[in-house]
Amino acid sequence: MRFLTTAVACLCIVFAKAQSGNISGKITDSSGKKNLPLTTITVFKAKDTSIITYRLSNDAGEFKIPSLPLNVPLRLMATYSGYEAFRKDFILTTLEPSVNFGTVQLTGTSKQLDEVIVFSERPPVVIKQDTIEFNASAFKTLPSALLEDLLKKLPGVYVDENGDISVNGQKVNRLLVDGKRFFGDDPKMATRNLPSNLIDKVQVMDDKEQIALNNDGDMSKIGKVLNITLKRGIKKAVFGRLFAGGGTDDRYEVGGIVNSFRDTLQLSLIGFANNINRSSFSTKDITQLGGFERSGWGNINGSGNNAGQQGFSVDGFSLGGTGAGISKASGAAINLNHSPNKIFNFFFQYMYGRTNNIAEQTENRQRYFGDTIVNTYTVTKPISNGTSHNAGAGGSWKPDTLTNINFTFRYAYAGNVAEAPSSIITNNNKTGPLNQGSGTLFTNGNTESYFHVITLAHRSRIKKGRNLSIFHAVRYTANPLSNITESSNHYEYPVVSNIIFQQLRATNAPSTYGYLNSNYSEPVNARLTLRLNSTYTYNKNVQDVLTYGKHMLSNQYDSLNISLSSGLAREQNNWSNNVVASYKINSVTVNIGTTWLQQWINNSFSMAGQSNKQYYSNLLLGVSANWKRFSIGFSQDVIAPGINYLIPVADNSNPFYIINGNPSIKPFKRNGISFNGNVFNTKTNTNYFFSAQSTVTDDAIIQSVILNNNGVQVNTPVNVQGAWSNYANLGFNRQFKNKQSFNLTVNLNATGNLSRTPIIFNNEKSYVTNANINVNTGLSFNWHDVVEFNPKYTPGITRSYYTNKLFSNRDITSQVLQGEFIVRLPKKIVWETNIMHRIISDVAPGIPKTSTYWNAAVTVLMFNQDKGQLRLAVYDILNANANVNRYFSANAIIDTRSNVLQRYFMLTYSYNIRSFGNQPSKVGGQQSLWRF
């Protein structure tokens, strides 16, 4: 059957080629001496000027266009910025299927290209100096298509599954509409919401703002800017989604996101509640439709797709599905963006959220030491409730074309209350049971933070390459936390004993961080540029620890334990001065620089009445070379240890896992070599990318582990030598694009890690070498938006080798096979399914090696523009969903498992609001509102 299919496909290709013709030629200027590469050669039907295909000439100005129809009047048009357009009518026949136009000479003109080309004959692509311009009408899309669908059809443009855009291998940093920051700085806001039939042109250019901030001349870091020109102005619009759904096992989701804008004023409102272990919105819905990715909004932390749990949070504001176990989430948010002109824009945001998590987690930890195996099995059932408030404001000001000023101010509050009953059992394969215990950890804490950033970038009008940038930031964080531990613990070895443990540990760790950086570039001549970079940082960290026992008479935690209490404060001033000389030889830039790093550190221990002042002065070397989109570099850095390593008293909140501090920990020094780059082949739409990094660390910090005879583990941080790591990532993606029928993208990405780290276990030292390789391969196929198929295969392998024979070598292999299939037939019906199958080579007894998560849904589209959508979905059809994991740590193998949602049905109705373009939204797939 496979042979027959292949044979039929080959015959079809041969037959198609036999029934088509081709043309060729060469493009030069009117003198015939200057070749014109990247000339756009377009072939139209002469009758109605509809585009058949196009090509760009190569570096020699040559072109060849195959697969043209026979016996049809055709027209060739060659266009190049600054030259008159060339036209020639022709017909290919069976007797004469090939035509060579020879040397086509273009005549220079001072007129703009658009003024001399008939509108109906506009070329699909025009190159204007450093700008690539696509004619949107030349790329056919469905009536319901959005801007993202149009971009996927443009040559050299790649849109990944997250909606991130790259052009010729370079990332798109932001998107403009008619030259204005219409949707802020997030390209996906426009790509997911603007109908494609409103677009006139798509222009691609270098990000000049990023170039101004670039301090090493490495062009591999520079991204692109998209400018969308509309056919008609969009002055007013309202769009969004409202939805509500219910399912078996009391599952529910309800919410809405509404976006309104008038000219350049955008207002977004969000509200939601669910208990389905997934966010009611994807990160795309929030950062794009909601507009919550403006001017550097804070950290977005997500759970990925872990056993059906797909949640994320924005600076602690959870959109659902975060945390372990079964989660509930609710929240509301408002976002305002305004760009009154090209000079100034500002934003305001506020978000409020609540979460609840009920988990049941098991951990089986096996420690190997010679022929001794110590096994610790822990069961924890935490219940937690969280509340968060986030507010932010900021904007940007562009007083002239050479200056950019950005500013952001944010405040966040997050509170959490948790109760975590747990039990633990430890056994030794030689001596038998060591201990067992049960108890509860009560947690009550909150975090408050303030943060602001101000940046200025200025490019000289007088001298090209003379740039000045200033970056300033301040962050303050306070996080008071109290942990009450109440447990009953039984020890079998070395002597039998029973201990009732009751303790309150109250900590507060406020921190203040200040940062000021200035970077100045001065071109000495055409080849040599000097770069001066000066950075001052201020850190103040406090670790106040008060430990109380429970008073027998008052039954209150009011008996202060001095031996487990401390007050530690660290004040650190860093001053770094960097001088770099950049020398350019043709297209190669070599950077050689030195950094004088000074660190003043003052550690004070309030309870002991002691202080420890330290001063470090280091001269660090930095060397790099850049060639086009490639860079290689060597760098050095000295980093002071975190304050959490210095606390002079033990943290015994978990009586079976004690964490010590070490005030004598020294800073560690890193020496690193990095290499990265990408190659894009415009002819084949293929992008090759690769990066590598090698690091050697002196005085690296590790945890020295003591496992006592009674099964209690004690960790103490120490400095060690001989730690190194290597990382490499390489891959490619290739696009096969046919404007009239299908899009196919093939991806292959491989990541490897090789590292060596010293370990110390029960005073025995060993070096462990860890090798890890992960491969991610897949393809994305789309035929007329009627059929979509997106399979992926991800194998991985991990190996650990030890120099000390007391420790055993280990390995784990894993495989993940997943895929998505969508069919939009018949009209008004969308069928979709996805499946993820995971295999782990070796797990603890009682934990399955394989797990399969399979989902399916059908959606009925209703009303005009498909505004109403009724969706019936079943999650985890096989009722086999599982969240299991195995990993290595030093000489331990750890198996974990957590409760997850299993099979349930969900019926959801949604109403799509879209007041412009009369466009229905595309339904189906993981990019839609309801993700599996």
Side-chain angles (χ1 to χ4, degrees), residues 651-683:
D651 180 358
N652 64 342
S653 300
N654 182 346
F656 297 96
Y657 188 79
I658 312 299
I659 302 174
N660 288 329
N662 183 357
S664 62
I665 282 286
K666 297 182 294 184
F668 57 93
K669 183 176 182 179
R670 290 189 306 206
N671 299 276
I673 298 176
S674 63
F675 177 70
N676 64 81
N678 72 286
V679 178
F680 188 85
N681 188 323
T682 56
K683 294 181 180 179

Short mmCIF file of all heavy atoms in Angstrom, two decimals, residues 651-683:
data_model
loop_
_atom_site.label_atom_id
_atom_site.label_comp_id
_atom_site.label_asym_id
_atom_site.label_seq_id
_atom_site.Cartn_x
_atom_site.Cartn_y
_atom_site.Cartn_z
N ASP A 651 17.43 25.17 59.60
CA ASP A 651 15.99 25.17 59.33
C ASP A 651 15.51 23.72 59.51
O ASP A 651 15.78 22.85 58.69
CB ASP A 651 15.71 25.64 57.91
CG ASP A 651 14.21 25.65 57.58
OD1 ASP A 651 13.41 25.25 58.44
OD2 ASP A 651 13.86 26.05 56.44
N ASN A 652 14.78 23.49 60.61
CA ASN A 652 14.30 22.14 60.91
C ASN A 652 12.78 22.06 60.85
O ASN A 652 12.16 21.29 61.58
CB ASN A 652 14.80 21.68 62.28
CG ASN A 652 14.25 22.54 63.42
OD1 ASN A 652 13.76 23.65 63.18
ND2 ASN A 652 14.33 22.05 64.65
N SER A 653 12.16 22.89 59.99
CA SER A 653 10.71 22.85 59.84
C SER A 653 10.24 21.45 59.48
O SER A 653 9.16 21.02 59.87
CB SER A 653 10.25 23.84 58.77
OG SER A 653 10.62 25.15 59.12
N ASN A 654 11.04 20.73 58.69
CA ASN A 654 10.81 19.31 58.44
C ASN A 654 11.83 18.54 59.26
O ASN A 654 13.02 18.55 58.94
CB ASN A 654 10.96 19.01 56.95
CG ASN A 654 10.68 17.56 56.61
OD1 ASN A 654 10.62 16.69 57.49
ND2 ASN A 654 10.54 17.27 55.33
N PRO A 655 11.41 17.86 60.35
CA PRO A 655 12.37 17.19 61.24
C PRO A 655 13.21 16.13 60.54
O PRO A 655 14.25 15.73 61.07
CB PRO A 655 11.47 16.58 62.31
CG PRO A 655 10.19 17.31 62.23
CD PRO A 655 10.03 17.69 60.81
N PHE A 656 12.76 15.66 59.40
CA PHE A 656 13.51 14.62 58.69
C PHE A 656 14.40 15.19 57.60
O PHE A 656 15.08 14.44 56.90
CB PHE A 656 12.53 13.60 58.08
CG PHE A 656 11.71 12.86 59.11
CD1 PHE A 656 10.44 13.29 59.44
CD2 PHE A 656 12.23 11.76 59.76
CE1 PHE A 656 9.69 12.61 60.38
CE2 PHE A 656 11.49 11.07 60.71
CZ PHE A 656 10.21 11.50 61.02
N TYR A 657 14.37 16.52 57.43
CA TYR A 657 15.15 17.16 56.37
C TYR A 657 15.65 18.50 56.91
O TYR A 657 14.95 19.52 56.84
CB TYR A 657 14.29 17.35 55.12
CG TYR A 657 15.03 17.82 53.90
CD1 TYR A 657 15.78 16.92 53.15
CD2 TYR A 657 14.97 19.14 53.49
CE1 TYR A 657 16.45 17.35 52.01
CE2 TYR A 657 15.64 19.58 52.37
CZ TYR A 657 16.38 18.68 51.62
OH TYR A 657 17.05 19.10 50.51
N ILE A 658 16.87 18.52 57.43
CA ILE A 658 17.43 19.70 58.08
C ILE A 658 18.31 20.45 57.08
O ILE A 658 19.12 19.84 56.37
CB ILE A 658 18.27 19.30 59.31
CG1 ILE A 658 17.51 18.32 60.19
CG2 ILE A 658 18.67 20.55 60.09
CD1 ILE A 658 16.22 18.86 60.75
N ILE A 659 18.14 21.78 57.03
CA ILE A 659 18.94 22.61 56.13
C ILE A 659 19.79 23.57 56.96
O ILE A 659 19.27 24.40 57.71
CB ILE A 659 18.04 23.41 55.17
CG1 ILE A 659 17.15 22.46 54.36
CG2 ILE A 659 18.88 24.28 54.24
CD1 ILE A 659 16.14 23.16 53.49
N ASN A 660 21.11 23.45 56.82
CA ASN A 660 22.03 24.33 57.52
C ASN A 660 22.45 25.49 56.63
O ASN A 660 22.36 25.42 55.39
CB ASN A 660 23.29 23.57 57.95
CG ASN A 660 23.02 22.61 59.08
OD1 ASN A 660 22.16 22.86 59.93
ND2 ASN A 660 23.75 21.49 59.10
N GLY A 661 22.93 26.57 57.26
CA GLY A 661 23.60 27.64 56.55
C GLY A 661 25.09 27.56 56.77
O GLY A 661 25.57 26.79 57.60
N ASN A 662 25.86 28.36 56.03
CA ASN A 662 27.32 28.36 56.15
C ASN A 662 27.83 29.76 55.92
O ASN A 662 27.99 30.19 54.77
CB ASN A 662 27.92 27.38 55.15
CG ASN A 662 29.42 27.27 55.29
OD1 ASN A 662 30.05 27.96 56.10
ND2 ASN A 662 30.02 26.39 54.48
N PRO A 663 28.08 30.53 57.00
CA PRO A 663 28.52 31.92 56.85
C PRO A 663 29.87 32.08 56.16
O PRO A 663 30.22 33.18 55.72
CB PRO A 663 28.59 32.42 58.31
CG PRO A 663 27.70 31.49 59.08
CD PRO A 663 27.82 30.17 58.40
N SER A 664 30.64 30.99 56.03
CA SER A 664 31.97 31.10 55.41
C SER A 664 31.97 30.79 53.92
O SER A 664 33.03 30.69 53.31
CB SER A 664 32.94 30.15 56.12
OG SER A 664 32.52 28.79 55.97
N ILE A 665 30.78 30.63 53.33
CA ILE A 665 30.70 30.38 51.88
C ILE A 665 31.33 31.55 51.10
O ILE A 665 31.11 32.71 51.42
CB ILE A 665 29.22 30.19 51.46
CG1 ILE A 665 28.76 28.79 51.83
CG2 ILE A 665 29.04 30.40 49.99
CD1 ILE A 665 29.32 27.71 50.94
N LYS A 666 32.11 31.21 50.08
CA LYS A 666 32.81 32.22 49.28
C LYS A 666 32.08 32.45 47.95
O LYS A 666 31.33 31.59 47.49
CB LYS A 666 34.24 31.76 48.99
CG LYS A 666 35.11 31.61 50.23
CD LYS A 666 36.52 31.21 49.85
CE LYS A 666 36.56 29.82 49.22
NZ LYS A 666 37.96 29.38 48.93
N PRO A 667 32.32 33.59 47.31
CA PRO A 667 31.78 33.80 45.95
C PRO A 667 32.34 32.77 44.98
O PRO A 667 33.42 32.22 45.18
CB PRO A 667 32.23 35.22 45.59
CG PRO A 667 32.53 35.87 46.91
CD PRO A 667 33.02 34.79 47.81
N PHE A 668 31.58 32.51 43.92
CA PHE A 668 32.06 31.59 42.91
C PHE A 668 32.33 32.34 41.61
O PHE A 668 31.69 33.34 41.30
CB PHE A 668 31.08 30.43 42.69
CG PHE A 668 29.70 30.83 42.30
CD1 PHE A 668 29.33 30.92 40.97
CD2 PHE A 668 28.74 31.09 43.28
CE1 PHE A 668 28.04 31.27 40.61
CE2 PHE A 668 27.44 31.45 42.93
CZ PHE A 668 27.09 31.54 41.59
N LYS A 669 33.32 31.83 40.87
CA LYS A 669 33.76 32.46 39.64
C LYS A 669 33.44 31.56 38.46
O LYS A 669 33.71 30.37 38.48
CB LYS A 669 35.25 32.76 39.69
CG LYS A 669 35.78 33.51 38.46
CD LYS A 669 37.26 33.85 38.62
CE LYS A 669 37.77 34.64 37.40
NZ LYS A 669 39.20 35.00 37.56
N ARG A 670 32.86 32.16 37.40
CA ARG A 670 32.51 31.40 36.20
C ARG A 670 33.31 31.89 35.00
O ARG A 670 33.46 33.09 34.79
CB ARG A 670 31.01 31.53 35.90
CG ARG A 670 30.13 30.81 36.90
CD ARG A 670 28.69 30.79 36.44
NE ARG A 670 28.17 32.12 36.15
CZ ARG A 670 26.88 32.45 36.21
NH1 ARG A 670 25.99 31.53 36.55
NH2 ARG A 670 26.48 33.67 35.92
N ASN A 671 33.80 30.94 34.22
CA ASN A 671 34.44 31.21 32.94
C ASN A 671 33.61 30.52 31.87
O ASN A 671 33.38 29.30 31.94
CB ASN A 671 35.87 30.67 32.91
CG ASN A 671 36.74 31.32 33.97
OD1 ASN A 671 37.28 32.40 33.77
ND2 ASN A 671 36.88 30.66 35.12
N GLY A 672 33.14 31.27 30.89
CA GLY A 672 32.23 30.69 29.92
C GLY A 672 32.58 31.03 28.48
O GLY A 672 33.09 32.12 28.17
N ILE A 673 32.34 30.07 27.60
CA ILE A 673 32.46 30.26 26.16
C ILE A 673 31.10 30.00 25.54
O ILE A 673 30.44 29.01 25.87
CB ILE A 673 33.51 29.31 25.55
CG1 ILE A 673 34.89 29.57 26.14
CG2 ILE A 673 33.56 29.46 24.03
CD1 ILE A 673 35.95 28.60 25.66
N SER A 674 30.65 30.88 24.67
CA SER A 674 29.34 30.71 24.04
C SER A 674 29.46 30.87 22.53
O SER A 674 30.36 31.56 22.04
CB SER A 674 28.34 31.73 24.60
OG SER A 674 28.75 33.05 24.30
N PHE A 675 28.55 30.22 21.82
CA PHE A 675 28.52 30.29 20.36
C PHE A 675 27.08 30.16 19.92
O PHE A 675 26.35 29.29 20.42
CB PHE A 675 29.36 29.16 19.76
CG PHE A 675 29.31 29.12 18.25
CD1 PHE A 675 29.92 30.11 17.51
CD2 PHE A 675 28.67 28.10 17.58
CE1 PHE A 675 29.89 30.09 16.12
CE2 PHE A 675 28.62 28.06 16.20
CZ PHE A 675 29.25 29.06 15.46
N ASN A 676 26.63 31.04 19.04
CA ASN A 676 25.27 30.92 18.52
C ASN A 676 25.18 31.57 17.15
O ASN A 676 26.03 32.37 16.75
CB ASN A 676 24.26 31.56 19.48
CG ASN A 676 24.45 33.06 19.63
OD1 ASN A 676 24.02 33.83 18.78
ND2 ASN A 676 25.13 33.47 20.69
N GLY A 677 24.12 31.20 16.45
CA GLY A 677 23.91 31.77 15.13
C GLY A 677 22.76 31.09 14.42
O GLY A 677 22.18 30.12 14.91
N ASN A 678 22.39 31.64 13.30
CA ASN A 678 21.36 31.02 12.47
C ASN A 678 21.60 31.35 11.00
O ASN A 678 22.20 32.38 10.66
CB ASN A 678 19.95 31.46 12.89
CG ASN A 678 19.64 32.88 12.52
OD1 ASN A 678 20.13 33.82 13.14
ND2 ASN A 678 18.82 33.07 11.51
N VAL A 679 21.17 30.45 10.14
CA VAL A 679 21.30 30.61 8.70
C VAL A 679 19.93 30.42 8.09
O VAL A 679 19.26 29.41 8.35
CB VAL A 679 22.28 29.57 8.10
CG1 VAL A 679 22.35 29.73 6.59
CG2 VAL A 679 23.65 29.72 8.72
N PHE A 680 19.50 31.38 7.28
CA PHE A 680 18.22 31.26 6.62
C PHE A 680 18.42 31.22 5.12
O PHE A 680 19.08 32.08 4.54
CB PHE A 680 17.30 32.44 6.99
CG PHE A 680 15.89 32.25 6.49
CD1 PHE A 680 14.98 31.53 7.24
CD2 PHE A 680 15.49 32.78 5.28
CE1 PHE A 680 13.69 31.34 6.78
CE2 PHE A 680 14.21 32.60 4.81
CZ PHE A 680 13.30 31.87 5.57
N ASN A 681 17.86 30.19 4.51
CA ASN A 681 17.93 30.02 3.05
C ASN A 681 16.62 30.51 2.45
O ASN A 681 15.57 29.89 2.62
CB ASN A 681 18.15 28.54 2.71
CG ASN A 681 18.43 28.33 1.23
OD1 ASN A 681 17.86 29.00 0.37
ND2 ASN A 681 19.32 27.39 0.94
N THR A 682 16.67 31.65 1.79
CA THR A 682 15.44 32.24 1.25
C THR A 682 14.85 31.42 0.12
O THR A 682 13.64 31.46 -0.11
CB THR A 682 15.72 33.68 0.75
OG1 THR A 682 16.79 33.64 -0.22
CG2 THR A 682 16.12 34.58 1.89
N LYS A 683 15.69 30.68 -0.59
CA LYS A 683 15.18 29.90 -1.71
C LYS A 683 14.32 28.73 -1.24
O LYS A 683 13.31 28.40 -1.86
CB LYS A 683 16.35 29.38 -2.56
CG LYS A 683 17.14 30.47 -3.26
CD LYS A 683 18.25 29.86 -4.10
CE LYS A 683 19.04 30.95 -4.82
NZ LYS A 683 20.14 30.37 -5.62
#
